[in-house]
Amino acid sequence: MKNRIKVLRAEKDLTQAELAKQLSVSRQTVNAIEKGKFDPSLPLAFKLSSLFGKSIEEIFQNEE
Amino acid sequence: MKNRIKVLRAEKDLTQAELAKQLSVSRQTVNAIEKGKFDPSLPLAFKLSSLFGKSIEEIFQNEE
DNA sequence: GTTAAAAGTAAAGTTTGTTTTACTTTTTGT
DNA sequence: ACAAAAAGTAAAACAAACTTTACTTTTAAC
């Protein structure tokens, strides 16, 4: 599972800490997801989707 | 988080056990997700999406 | 109305996602 | 070059997703 969070975050000029706050998760969680350490939960994926105004499929790519 | 899995599964005429096998998860996992006991992981949501030929947003509805 | 298949449920255990604390490295601005 | 902010990283602890085993209830077919 790949994601475009780092780029989308850059487009909105947000720091990891700012994004984390808007998502109500820790900064480390944002960092870990960006770095591909693990995938977010589905609810968190929906939050990202709504925050960035993109579909989940536009943000995450399944690499099976 | 609500989902339409039960209906989509009925449309494809699959049992929970059959769907579980196609998803490579246990039957209890399918049952629990259908009954709303918890949300699937994002990778599992993608598998469901691809199996049913529907977007994640068409299958799951975020109720925050 | 019995039987068999499917669905529901539950406890104990493993794995994965997330938090907290804390420290190091990189980037940015002066 | 220096300081401050941002990003990276890691371990311990907790929470949520998922498995396995096993049993009960509902549904469908005869």
Side-chain angles (χ1 to χ4, degrees):
Chain A
M1 190 108 287
K2 282 176 57 179
N3 72 71
R4 309 205 315 121
I5 295 173
K6 189 170 184 171
V7 169
L8 296 170
R9 181 169 65 77
E11 282 178 17
K12 291 224 162 190
D13 197 21
L14 291 170
T15 67
Q16 292 182 347
E18 287 165 345
L19 176 56
K21 189 163 191 187
Q22 299 200 40
L23 296 167
S24 315
V25 297
S26 70
R27 180 179 66 83
Q28 285 78 353
T29 291
V30 169
N31 186 279
I33 292 168
E34 272 191 14
K35 304 285 295 184
K37 286 195 73 180
F38 50 72
D39 297 316
S41 68
L42 186 57
L44 185 47
F46 265 93
K47 278 192 189 176
L48 283 157
S49 171
S50 122
L51 226 147
F52 286 131
K54 307 255 177 203
S55 72
I56 289 181
E57 290 82 357
E58 284 170 321
I59 302 178
F60 298 93
Q61 298 96 38
N62 201 14
E63 323 158 287
E64 66 246 55
Chain B
M1 190 112 282
K2 283 177 59 179
N3 71 72
R4 308 205 316 121
I5 295 174
K6 189 169 184 173
V7 170
L8 296 170
R9 181 169 64 78
E11 282 177 18
K12 291 225 161 189
D13 197 22
L14 292 170
T15 68
Q16 291 182 347
E18 287 165 344
L19 176 56
K21 188 163 192 189
Q22 299 200 40
L23 296 168
S24 316
V25 296
S26 71
R27 181 180 65 81
Q28 286 77 352
T29 292
V30 168
N31 186 279
I33 292 169
E34 273 191 13
K35 303 287 296 183
K37 284 195 77 182
F38 51 72
D39 297 316
S41 66
L42 185 58
L44 185 47
F46 266 93
K47 279 192 187 176
L48 284 157
S49 170
S50 121
L51 226 147
F52 287 131
K54 306 256 179 203
S55 72
I56 290 181
E57 289 81 358
E58 283 170 322
I59 302 178
F60 298 93
Q61 297 97 37
N62 202 13
E63 326 157 285
E64 52 253 65

